[in-house]
Amino acid sequence: MSASTTAQRKATDQDHLQVGGHSPRVLLSRVGGQNLSLLAALTLVLCFFGVLNPDYLSWSNIEVIAEAATITGLLAVVQTVVIICGALDISVGSQAGLASVISAIAFTATASNAFLGIGTAMVVGALIGLFNGAVIVYGRVNAVIATLAGLAAYKGVAQLISDGRAQGYVLNDTLFVFLGRGRIAGLPAMVWLLLGVSACLHVLLKRTDIGRNVYALGGNDTAARLTGINLNKYLLAVYTLSGIIASLAGILLTARTGSGQPVSGSEGLELQAITAAALGGCALKGGKGGVGGTLLAVALLGALQNGLTVQGINTFWQNIAQGLLLVCAVIIQQRRNGARAVGLPA
């Protein structure tokens, strides 16, 4: 057998391995090092708390983790799109609280019409998102400052129209009961909704020209503008999308708790969403990230929070752990990107 024939056979065998997905390098490139790290961390968390408490890995507790993570997951996946675009939306938690109140109030005011209650909240969410985008684009306000103002303002509006109390009662309606407590193929309806929204956003980002333009804007907005991409229109659209998904999270909050919640259940969600997006691989400067990594990070945070709760750990420590995770995620990103230390020359 000639040397050339042997070389061809080796190359063919290597191709077969790669096609079959057996090459570690191919697997790593497809799954991503960030996602593999999150999978490893999630496995460690599940095993650790599973050893401490065997009931932790029971199917009923897994469902509890999934349901609790759904609202955060919705906000995290849309925050992923916003961050990839090179922006940030700190007001999503307050938007969810406001949508929760509006959906319950509209439901009660329209003779218990769930569709009108949900539709009203979604329209208000879209208008809020559009308003955020307009302040940033036409008011020339930094995205962090604009949405930080929204964080306070929308929370205040929710408290004002609700007098600071839970509003309405929606658990006498079939649709709200299904959204909050229904099951499809053994999984909570809320989880299916999160998976559906995530799949749509993943396709939007990875399989369409719109998604490619979003990555381009976050990576280098000047170059993107020179290629003809309208930055202002994309920012308005992305923030409108953020408002719609945030309102959907608020509707699920109403369905899960049975009433509109102005603050309880929505406070702190913006930090959780940003933490999940950063842990999932989103570069806070924009241009990098994906929905899959964010979902893994949401699962990791949900498993960790549930495990600490099951072990009776004070919620104050849970907040500390969440803050530390966010800092660690950003440090890892900065190291990978080769960012210089503050105060040192470039």
Side-chain angles (χ1 to χ4, degrees):
M1 184 181 296
S2 65
S4 60
T5 304
T6 303
Q8 288 176 358
R9 283 194 173 183
K10 286 183 178 180
T12 303
D13 292 340
Q14 186 175 1
D15 290 339
H16 284 314
L17 286 174
Q18 289 180 350
V19 171
H22 299 293
S23 170
R25 184 176 299 176
V26 172
L27 284 174
L28 183 61
S29 64
R30 289 180 178 178
V31 179
Q34 180 82 18
N35 291 347
L36 288 176
S37 299
L38 288 171
L39 281 171
L42 178 60
T43 302
L44 287 175
V45 168
L46 292 174
C47 292
F48 176 75
F49 287 111
V51 170
L52 294 179
N53 188 342
D55 292 334
Y56 175 78
L57 293 178
S58 65
W59 179 247
S60 60
N61 192 58
I62 296 298
E63 282 192 334
V64 169
I65 295 173
E67 288 181 344
T70 299
I71 294 174
T72 302
L74 284 171
L75 298 179
V77 293
V78 78
Q79 189 75 249
T80 298
V81 179
V82 177
I83 292 175
I84 290 173
C85 194
L88 198 65
D89 192 348
I90 305 177
S91 66
V92 288
S94 294
Q95 290 182 54
L98 179 57
S100 176
V101 170
I102 290 175
S103 64
I105 291 177
F107 172 77
T108 304
T110 56
S112 300
N113 190 317
F115 289 100
L116 284 178
I118 292 172
T120 302
M122 297 285 282
V123 170
V124 171
L127 292 175
I128 288 175
L130 182 62
F131 176 75
N132 281 344
V135 170
I136 294 167
V137 171
Y138 301 113
R140 300 181 182 181
V141 180
N142 179 274
V144 174
I145 300 300
T147 55
L148 183 61
L151 169 68
Y154 305 141
K155 182 187 297 184
V157 173
Q159 292 173 320
L160 186 65
I161 64 177
S162 67
D163 199 24
R165 298 192 300 266
Q167 294 293 307
Y169 181 75
V170 302
L171 293 185
N172 55 359
D173 178 82
T174 304
L175 180 56
F176 274 110
V177 170
F178 175 74
L179 288 175
R181 307 181 183 188
R183 293 286 188 276
I184 300 176
L187 285 176
M190 296 173 62
V191 176
W192 283 111
L193 186 58
L194 170 61
L195 294 176
V197 170
S198 300
C200 290
L201 292 179
H202 175 77
V203 172
L204 177 70
L205 288 172
K206 300 294 187 180
R207 296 289 186 267
T208 68
D209 290 336
I210 294 175
R212 285 184 280 272
N213 291 342
V214 168
Y215 277 101
L217 289 173
N220 189 328
D221 59 344
T222 301
R225 189 183 293 109
L226 292 175
T227 61
I229 300 174
N230 191 318
L231 175 60
N232 292 346
K233 287 184 179 180
Y234 270 87
L235 279 175
L236 290 173
V238 165
Y239 274 99
T240 301
L241 176 65
S242 179
I244 293 172
I245 302 300
S247 67
L248 181 59
I251 291 166
L252 290 184
L253 177 61
T254 300
R256 192 176 181 215
T257 60
S259 59
Q261 302 292 331
V263 177
S264 178
S266 61
E267 193 167 24
L269 287 178
E270 54 283 325
L271 176 60
Q272 295 178 30
I274 294 171
T275 301
L279 279 175
C282 284
L284 296 182
K285 291 183 179 181
K288 182 182 178 182
V291 172
T294 298
L295 284 178
L296 285 174
V298 168
L300 173 60
L301 290 174
L304 179 62
Q305 185 175 25
N306 180 268
L308 294 174
T309 301
V310 168
Q311 291 304 120
I313 305 298
N314 192 300
T315 55
F316 299 150
W317 286 107
Q318 297 179 26
N319 293 334
I320 293 173
Q322 184 173 286
L324 290 175
L325 280 174
L326 178 57
V327 172
C328 290
V330 175
I331 289 175
I332 292 172
Q333 285 183 14
Q334 295 296 85
R335 292 287 186 178
R336 285 181 175 177
N337 295 334
R340 65 181 178 83
V342 175
L344 292 180

